[in-house]
C-alpha cells in the first residue's frame, strides 16, 4: 500500500499545482480584461470631451 499511497499523493500534488496555475492564469486574464475596460472608458471619455469642446466652439460662433 505504500507505493499506491505515494503515487496518489504525487498525483494529488500535480493536480493541485495545475489548479494553482489555472487560477493564476484566470486572474491574469481578468486583470487584463479590466485594464482593457479602463482604457476603453478613458478613450470614450476623451472622445466625449473632444466632442464637447467642438460643440462649445460651435456654440461660441453662433
Amino acid at each position: 500500500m505504500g507505493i499506491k499511497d505515494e503515487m496518489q499523493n504525487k498525483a494529488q500534488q500535480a493536480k493541485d499545482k495545475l489548479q494553482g496555475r489555472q487560477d493564476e492564469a484566470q486572474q491574469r486574464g481578468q486583470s487584463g480584461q479590466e485594464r482593457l475596460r479602463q482604457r476603453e472608458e478613458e478613450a470614450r471619455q476623451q472622445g466625449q470631451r473632444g466632442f464637447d469642446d467642438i460643440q462649445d466652439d460651435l456654440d461660441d460662433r453662433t
Side-chain angles (χ1 to χ4, degrees):
M1 287 292 265
I3 293 174
K4 183 179 179 183
D5 291 340
E6 187 176 325
M7 295 304 287
Q8 286 178 337
N9 286 338
K10 285 184 180 184
Q12 185 63 43
Q13 288 174 349
K15 184 178 177 183
D16 292 345
K17 188 175 182 180
L18 177 62
Q19 183 64 47
R21 288 183 179 172
Q22 289 173 337
D23 291 346
E24 289 175 15
Q26 184 178 10
Q27 288 175 347
R28 283 194 303 268
Q30 288 174 347
S31 58
Q33 288 176 343
E34 184 58 35
R35 283 194 302 271
L36 287 175
R37 280 191 208 106
Q38 279 183 322
R39 288 182 197 159
E40 182 181 352
E41 181 62 28
E42 289 171 3
R44 187 177 299 126
Q45 289 174 356
Q46 288 176 352
Q48 183 63 41
R49 278 183 284 213
F51 179 76
D52 290 344
D53 290 343
I54 292 169
Q55 195 146 19
D56 289 344
D57 289 343
L58 291 174
D59 289 345
D60 291 342
R61 292 181 188 175
T62 56

